[in-house]
Amino acid sequence: MRSTRPPGLFQTTLVLLRKDLLIEWRTRARLNALVFFAMATLLLFSFALGPDTKLLERNAGGYLWLAILFASVLSLGESFRVESENACLDGVRLAPADARAIFLSKALGNALLLLALGVLLVPVMVALYGVRIVTGLGDLAGILVLGSLALSAPGTVYAAISSNARARDVLLPLLLFPLVIPALLSAAKGTTLVLQGDPMQQLGSWQGLLLGFNLIYWGVGFVLFPRVIED
Amino acid sequence: MNKFVKFGLPALVLGLLGVGWWLGLAWAPPDREMGDVQRIMYVHVPLQWMAMMAMFINFVAAVTYLLRQSWKTDAMAEASAEVGLLFGTLGMITGSIWGRPTWGVYWSWDPRLTSEAILLVSYTGYLVLRRFVEDPEKRAVWSAVVAIIGAINLPIVWFSVRWWRSLHQVQSTPKTVDPQMVLPLRVAAFGMLALLILFMVHRYRIALAERKAEVALPDALPTDDPAQRAAHSSKVA
């Protein structure tokens, strides 16, 4: 016998996330575009600064996260563009899906995409800038996961807002960039420590800052997002 | 009330700021280490205090709007963000004028300055958002959400001088400052508060009038449909 109980928040999130990932997997357009965009950005840094390997190696963590941040703006905008075509977002809400589940699935989907992007960029960075991963892949993975989550939570709220406003391409970075500076700073510092060794044991405190940032913005987004997409 | 806002408040602003700044420039002693350069404090510090207050009002108005929708709180949010950005920018300019002779640079990447710059950019983004959304109801909800998310920066700016001990000095208290410096600072701060209130009241009225015009607009526009025109004119008559 089929149960008539409506699915819970967790279940709805998983279903919506699966739908988003399936759309992404069927086309693979977004991830391909993001990877090439971010690689071009990494390449441009080395052109803009000249072939000074020492300089590039020292700043590699910052460049990696700037490339991910720039790519995230494209990715976040795109994640709501697919929903506004044919009024899909209205359809999802009429399904009815909890608005908070829509936030969780979108933000998790964006974080997964950024994480995949980061994983693909690391070998490129190793080749282009000649960096070594000193403290181990586990630490690097931790920073990548926390950093992707940190960019995607406020980014999802702002992308939902700016996708319906005029001049959306200007608005999203203008809102998002100042907000994510603490996350960008700690992700870049953390990555630099992973790449160059951590004699003073500072990595933990940067990871803690990222974790705190995540807790605040995932919480705020979870509470406020339903108001953003209400009609 | 109207008369007070029109004549009393500007007179209060001029009086308090005049007395406060005269006391600061002529009566208070010069600072032991910085000399006369320090006197810009009587402008810089009140400006920054009032900027923080305006941005806090913006946060309260945004929360209030989400709890109970009203054009008044939305207009208050718009007014406080704009006035706060103005005061904050002026505070930052006066700070950098003071920084050049004291620190040797107009700008240092000190945590206080950096977090303040981030704050000002995020409020610029907030005001840009307000310009780019036409539907007044959506604009009010979205900008309230953005204001609440952005307000997380406010405590970071305020406590930055304590969390990261760096170039910018920690907040002074009346106990650590010469009483002859406390009095002019207090008077100037109340003058600046009166100026803040004056600006806010005017900007709030403008915002409220704009909102009412926007909300009334669809009905007020002339229409080509004779039936509607007749209905409208009979309603007006």
Side-chain angles (χ1 to χ4, degrees):
Chain A
M1 201 182 95
R2 279 175 64 100
S3 153
T4 49
R5 202 167 52 85
L9 184 72
F10 181 68
Q11 215 181 338
T12 319
T13 306
L14 281 186
V15 168
L16 288 174
L17 182 62
R18 191 166 168 273
K19 174 208 72 139
D20 280 350
L21 292 180
L22 195 64
I23 293 174
E24 186 51 46
W25 180 249
R26 295 253 165 93
T27 62
R28 285 184 286 274
R30 186 147 63 115
L31 187 59
N32 281 336
L34 287 188
V35 170
F36 286 109
F37 176 80
M39 279 185 190
T41 316
L42 284 185
L43 208 60
L44 286 178
F45 279 123
S46 50
F47 281 116
L49 296 162
D52 182 347
T53 336
K54 281 261 166 6
L55 186 73
L56 289 171
E57 191 189 343
R58 203 170 58 230
N59 298 329
Y63 300 151
L64 173 72
W65 282 101
L66 273 180
I68 295 179
L69 178 68
F70 292 155
S72 81
V73 175
L74 298 184
S75 160
L76 289 164
E78 192 66 11
S79 74
F80 278 93
R81 200 192 53 78
V82 296
E83 296 291 353
S84 57
E85 271 177 9
N86 305 324
C88 288
L89 194 61
D90 292 335
V92 169
R93 284 171 54 218
L94 287 172
D98 189 335
R100 293 173 301 178
I102 300 177
F103 167 74
L104 288 181
S105 66
K106 281 283 173 209
L108 278 176
N110 281 319
L112 281 176
L113 211 61
L114 291 184
L115 181 64
L117 175 68
V119 170
L120 290 173
L121 283 184
V122 168
V124 179
M125 192 176 65
V126 169
L128 279 182
Y129 299 158
V131 293
R132 287 179 310 122
I133 299 161
V134 175
T135 68
L137 282 172
D139 286 336
L140 185 63
I143 290 282
L144 279 175
V145 169
L146 284 174
S148 312
L149 287 171
L151 291 183
S152 64
T156 300
V157 179
Y158 283 170
I161 290 173
S162 60
S163 67
N164 289 303
R166 272 192 302 136
R168 66 174 89 158
D169 300 327
V170 191
L171 199 54
L172 180 58
L174 198 57
L175 290 174
L176 187 63
F177 286 177
L179 195 76
V180 296
I181 286 172
L184 185 73
L185 184 72
S186 38
K189 287 270 185 194
T191 309
T192 305
L193 289 175
V194 170
L195 297 179
Q196 293 174 353
D198 182 18
M200 310 281 282
Q201 306 292 324
Q202 294 167 304
L203 188 58
S205 61
W206 289 113
Q207 281 170 331
L209 191 59
L210 267 181
L211 193 65
F213 186 94
N214 271 310
L215 287 177
I216 292 175
Y217 286 101
W218 279 82
V220 171
F222 186 75
V223 173
L224 292 180
F225 189 78
R227 301 303 300 269
V228 171
I229 59 166
E230 75 187 2
D231 237 347
Chain B
M1 177 64 199
N2 263 328
K3 225 171 199 174
F4 176 69
V5 170
K6 214 167 177 184
F7 303 107
L9 207 49
L12 194 67
V13 170
L14 288 178
L16 283 174
L17 283 183
V19 171
W21 286 344
W22 179 82
L23 284 174
L25 287 177
W27 179 72
D31 187 82
R32 188 173 55 193
E33 274 142 36
M34 292 179 259
D36 285 332
V37 171
Q38 177 268 343
R39 294 183 195 275
I40 202 168
M41 175 189 82
Y42 306 115
V43 182
H44 169 69
V45 171
L47 274 171
Q48 295 289 34
W49 280 346
M50 294 315 134
M52 293 300 267
M53 187 183 288
M55 285 163 181
F56 183 69
I57 294 172
N58 174 258
F59 170 69
V60 174
V63 173
T64 318
Y65 182 85
L66 285 188
L67 295 176
R68 232 180 111 251
Q69 307 211 339
S70 142
W71 295 128
K72 287 184 179 171
T73 40
D74 182 50
M76 185 53 95
E78 183 173 12
S80 52
E82 242 180 69
V83 179
L85 188 62
L86 174 73
F87 277 58
T89 310
L90 289 175
M92 187 167 260
I93 292 171
T94 51
S96 67
I97 291 172
W98 172 87
R100 175 72 204 196
T102 317
W103 296 343
V105 285
Y106 285 113
W107 183 263
S108 81
W109 291 101
D110 157 272
R112 186 56 167 289
L113 272 63
T114 313
S115 55
E116 171 86 17
I118 296 169
L119 187 74
L120 294 182
V121 175
S122 73
Y123 276 90
T124 314
Y126 169 85
L127 289 171
V128 170
L129 171 72
R130 296 201 70 108
R131 297 292 179 282
F132 279 159
V133 183
E134 262 114 44
D135 180 352
E137 274 180 48
K138 283 200 165 139
R139 181 203 303 138
V141 174
W142 291 347
S143 54
V145 170
V146 171
I148 293 171
I149 295 178
I152 297 172
N153 275 317
L154 279 177
I156 299 182
V157 173
W158 185 254
F159 291 113
S160 58
V161 282
R162 289 171 191 271
W163 290 343
W164 302 279
R165 292 283 175 122
S166 169
L167 215 48
H168 197 288
Q169 60 260 54
V170 177
Q171 292 100 330
S172 308
T173 64
K175 284 186 194 127
T176 61
V177 178
D178 189 305
Q180 279 195 296
M181 290 180 173
V182 175
L183 180 70
L185 183 62
R186 277 205 179 135
V187 178
F190 277 109
M192 208 59 94
L193 177 66
L195 186 66
L196 179 80
I197 295 170
L198 181 71
F199 279 8
M200 292 260 290
V201 168
H202 279 287
R203 189 63 189 82
Y204 167 75
R205 284 182 178 169
I206 294 169
L208 204 57
E210 276 176 352
R211 210 70 73 249
K212 279 185 177 148
E214 273 174 346
V215 178
L217 210 55
D219 280 338
L221 277 178
T223 160
D224 285 333
D225 182 14
Q228 268 189 29
R229 197 182 280 176
H232 188 70
S233 59
S234 69
K235 207 163 60 188
V236 171

